[in-house]
Amino acid sequence: MILEGVDSRTGPSFSMSNRLARGLWGVVWLTLFRPSPRPLHAWRVALLKLFGASIGTHFHIHASARIWAPWQFEAGDHVGVGEGVSFYNMARLTIGDNVVISQGAHLCGGTHDYNAANFQLRAAPIHIGERAWVCTEAFIGPGVTVPPGCVVGARAVMMRTPVEGAWGVYAGNPAVRVKSRVIRDA
């Protein structure tokens, strides 16, 4: 999908078919997805599925959320996506069951090789494990796996998969584990 050997500062980084598909999706997002009323989650899911997204049951996504390439998007059951979330998924982006992605979070699957003379574009998949919570305005970088049950705190920046493992609370820039997450009975 990414063109190799192209100077990404002056030329296209993606094939014509990819750019056309994203252009068509952009028109659909702008005219049918974005203006849809707040409770029409099923309508937005149908549009995403029309463009190749794989989405489970009880998926709620707000109209202001952006998905760069729906055909590279997969989400499980009982997932909530808040207002203004940005899924810049140049590579596969998967979200497990029972996940919340809060307002303004940015999941970015692309970067550039800043040592390459042509500033080559690179993409890597992102995976959000089940029962995770990506809080308000958090940033998840390319190639990151958020382990199951983890909380990525508000405005935290997670550029690497944490080695400390699942069920942790991560905060800061760069995000570090600040404590464990323990689920209590309600």
Side-chain angles (χ1 to χ4, degrees):
M1 179 162 80
I2 294 176
L3 300 175
E4 294 289 330
V6 175
D7 188 336
S8 62
R9 294 166 294 213
T10 59
S13 295
F14 293 91
S15 67
M16 180 60 78
S17 62
N18 179 275
R19 289 181 283 155
L20 290 172
R22 286 187 291 114
L24 180 59
W25 166 244
V27 169
V28 169
W29 182 87
L30 188 63
T31 60
L32 300 174
F33 189 99
R34 178 68 180 104
S36 62
R38 190 174 194 92
L40 293 186
H41 300 287
W43 168 252
R44 292 186 288 276
V45 167
L47 292 172
L48 289 168
K49 286 182 174 182
L50 183 66
F51 278 83
S54 175
I55 298 173
T57 61
H58 304 287
F59 180 81
H60 286 196
I61 184 168
H62 284 269
S64 61
R66 297 288 314 246
I67 297 178
W68 193 76
W71 50 91
Q72 295 193 137
F73 184 83
E74 179 180 345
D77 300 331
H78 301 277
V79 172
V81 177
E83 296 175 0
V85 168
S86 179
F87 295 120
Y88 195 38
N89 58 328
M90 291 182 199
R92 192 88 179 145
L93 191 151
T94 58
I95 299 172
D97 296 337
N98 302 299
V99 170
V100 173
I101 311 290
S102 290
Q103 300 86 336
H106 190 101
L107 286 72
C108 179
T111 188
H112 290 270
D113 182 351
Y114 53 81
N115 289 317
N118 69 346
F119 202 53
Q120 181 65 52
L121 182 65
R122 297 284 181 227
I126 294 173
H127 177 73
I128 309 299
E130 64 182 29
R131 298 194 177 274
W133 176 21
V134 178
C135 296
T136 300
E137 296 183 356
F139 181 90
I140 308 295
V144 171
T145 294
V146 175
C150 285
V151 174
V152 181
R155 294 199 171 174
V157 176
M158 188 171 276
M159 294 299 294
R160 291 186 175 88
T161 299
V163 296
E164 296 89 349
W167 296 95
V169 177
Y170 294 83
N173 179 7
V176 294
R177 188 177 179 127
V178 295
K179 59 182 162 182
S180 294
R181 179 183 183 201
V182 179
I183 303 295
R184 295 183 304 274
D185 289 332

